[in-house]
Amino acid sequence: MPASRSLRPLALAAIAGALALAGVGCANAGKGAAGLFSPRTANALTVATAQIPDPGFWAGTFAHPTGGFEYGLAKQLAARLHLAHVKVIEVPFHELVRGHLGGADLALSDITITDERAQHLDFSTSYLRAPPSIVVRPGTEVADVNAARDLHWAVQHDTTLKVALERSIEPTTQTLVFEHQREVLVALEVGRANAVMLDLPVALAYAHESPHKYAVAAQLQSEAQLGVALPQGSDNVEAVDSAIRALKAEGEIDRLGHQWLHANIEEGAAEEVPVLRAEE
Amino acid sequence: MLALIELSSPKGAPWEFLVVFAVLLLGPVLFRRAGIPGIIGLLVGGYAIGPHGLSLIGAGNNTLPDLGQLGLLYLMFVAGVELDLNLINKYRRSTISFGILTFAIPFVLGALVGFALGWETLAAILLGSLLASHTLITYPAVKEAGLASDPAVATAVGSTVLTDTLALIVLAGVAGSVAGGRSSVEVAAQVAVGLVVLIGYSLFVLPQLAGWAFRWLGTERAVRYVVAITAFLSAATVAELFGIEGIVGAFFAGLGMNRLVPNEGQLMDRIEFFGGAVFIPVFLVSVGFILNPSVMVKGETLGLAGLFIVACLGGKAIAAQISARLFGFSRSQAGLLFSLSAAQAAATLAATVIGFQLGLFSSAVVNAVLVLIFVSVLASTIVGTRASARASSPDGPRPLGTRIVVGLGEPELALGALTLARRIARADGGVVHPLLVVPEAAPFAPREALARLSEVVAAAGVDGQALTIVDRSVLHGALRVGRAQEATLVLVAEPVPDDDAQSTATPLAAGAPQRAWERSPAPPVAVVRGNADRLGVVRVRLDDDELESPSIAAEMARRVASGSAQRLDEDHAEWSELLAPGDVTFVSSELGDTLGKLPGVGDGLVVSTVAEWLIREESARDTPPEVPGDATLG
């Protein structure tokens, strides 16, 4: 049998298979190249966050948010996903990281992407680098890790910051652990603690807003990143992920960083904060 | 005792390289034994060791992807440097037509698929462009089958320039429109300027720099090889400066270096060796590395993949069929067209990843494209293997400059002849083999002679293998080796004039057939008298009967002077007085007459063709005619 004839059944089968698959593909029409988003509330993006106001990230109130990096990001996401409104609800941070979003489509709350949290949540690609940083009262020096070890520390419960503090600094005194970020900062202000650990973009925003109260002394060597958290198994992950990549490519995330965090976290101000030296 | 031994699990660079090289070694062998093309073995091997297989190399590893990227640039460089530019020029009409068809049909079909699925305009256009490009994955196999100069192969290879450039222009336009908010006009302008700069750099600056490097950095094998690698990496960098994919730069670098790297030369041998053994297979392994069957077999992914396969392979098949009918190609040649233009890898992957980074594509689209890549490589390999087996290798006349043997007695006095030979060979992408002929009576000192020869060869920019032979005369030795090496031209530098030859010389037979050298079983021979560091004015003096039909002398003069040789007629009886140092005159009158007018060394060069009867007479004195294998030193 000529070679071309022996190939013919194979070729016909391959073409038939491809056409059948193409039929399946046509059945998926309308999902969009970048994924389809189905909101819980019609024509609105429902966003969960733990704290408003949160300097640099959220301004206003839950009922009437007025600005901030993550609020701006939520609005951009809504526009990108063809939704007219952004609805914000309050959910405690420890609930968020356990995958309880209170019925929201997604959470924007300075959430660092970790493997442990990924067991309860689906994450988008990251939108901001966020290494742990040491915030002190202006005038307090933190020369190296030995000096940091002897400070009195405060940190928020259930955060990657607490883990970083325990692993990288190993404080010699009892660390104060609080439920909310604002309690951590109050402890620093009133002198119960002389150092606290915050995500670098958050720390820079606080230091910019209240330079007489806070100074960013150092950052830890880390690849920590903030990401959008979605309920595990959500069908919306592809669409949100694509939208975040598009916002990055379009420069929108940089623009929001400049507007609300007063610095380009990816390149500029973050590099001016010294990395904590391991030993003196 | 055993308790003292603490073994750790294998990791780090040695382990990763071991795993990759094990795939390079075993993948193709095992699959070929099962009757499956070796390329598939590399792809499947890449998947097996990757994060979605046995995870012997993790997802965060950059070594294999980076090596794969280098392999991809290498592949495109090899495709460019191996192209027979004369063949591309000869088939330029079919090349351009097929290039347009094989881009336009899948592009339109792909864009229609995107629109039918309700995608954004930019996403649909990007999908069309990524389906329209192709990668020459099956080219090494087709070349191995001896089909590199087949018209259909030349057409498909040449069309790669067009399709990939167009696809990457669309990609740059889409990327520029999304990122940075630039208008399509601005993006198109940047790409256009980038292409002009890239072409100028690759085709004009790079050959000059590389030629200079070859001459001044010597003939060391390693140095010449590194120059070639540096050349295509520099062109890829220039391309990326303008937002053009590096593979376009590597391809143009190959085109620019095409004449400097003859296909039969030692440098090409090294390029092919390392490319075939390591770089190109590693690229294929790196493609397999990203395959993720668990995602690829999802319904949505497979559905999209089916549409992409129909649009891409269907479009490529239609383009191949139309082109085959338009240009009278056979069915097997149509198969070669399809095989070479259907495989998706490099440009497709680059465009898909960029589309993903821009947020235009979801991961389902990326995985569907990976399915397409796998299927297209499989289909093109199977079709290519079948078509290669059915196609016959073209057996046309070999051009004059394909393989030139330059016989010489004194290396230092042969620079002019070698430079002439290089120019004659360059037009055909041919190779020049310098041959040192040591007289039988002379003391033989091969090391010293070869060392001196190497210096002269480097100065002349010649890349062929240096040979030595002991014989009774330079002419005789050159003739014997020329026949043994199947040379297309033998040049003899500084021969000692033979009294008998001068006295018995008669003119070449009148009415010689047109381009007789292409049909003659013995290579044509010319003697070169004189020497020069660089060439000056080029003249050619033809007999009356040669004015009507092309002669070897005229052809050599045309090549050396790039078509601007001054023609002398019989009024210039004292043509030898016109010679200044470096000037070269080609003559094709009888040997005795010519040799009588040869200048002294330093006055210029005279190149005289040798009468066929003399060649036959010299050859007849050979007993035995074969060149001993151990006479060749390298």
Side-chain angles (χ1 to χ4, degrees), chain A residues 3-4 6-8 18-19 21-22 24-26 28-35 80 238 242 245-246 249-250, chain B residues 116-117 119 123 178-180 299-300 302-304 306-307 310 331 356-365 386:
Chain A
S4 59
S6 67
L7 262 182
R8 200 166 289 163
L19 289 171
L21 288 176
V24 179
C26 288
N28 285 310
K31 286 200 80 170
R80 187 100 204 155
E238 285 276 17
S242 298
R245 289 194 306 272
E250 290 166 5
Chain B
L117 292 173
W119 291 8
V178 173
E300 183 190 356
L302 287 177
L304 287 172
L307 284 170
V310 170
R331 283 188 65 187
F356 179 74
Q357 288 168 347
L358 295 174
L360 290 173
F361 293 156
S362 67
S363 61
V365 174
R386 300 271 183 164

Side-chain angles (χ1 to χ4, degrees), chain A residues 69 247-248 251-259 263-267:
Chain A
F69 177 88
L247 292 172
K248 274 182 170 178
E252 276 302 323
I253 288 185
D254 277 348
R255 192 186 62 73
L256 287 170
H258 280 292
Q259 183 180 356
N264 185 343
I265 299 300
E266 297 298 319
E267 306 174 347

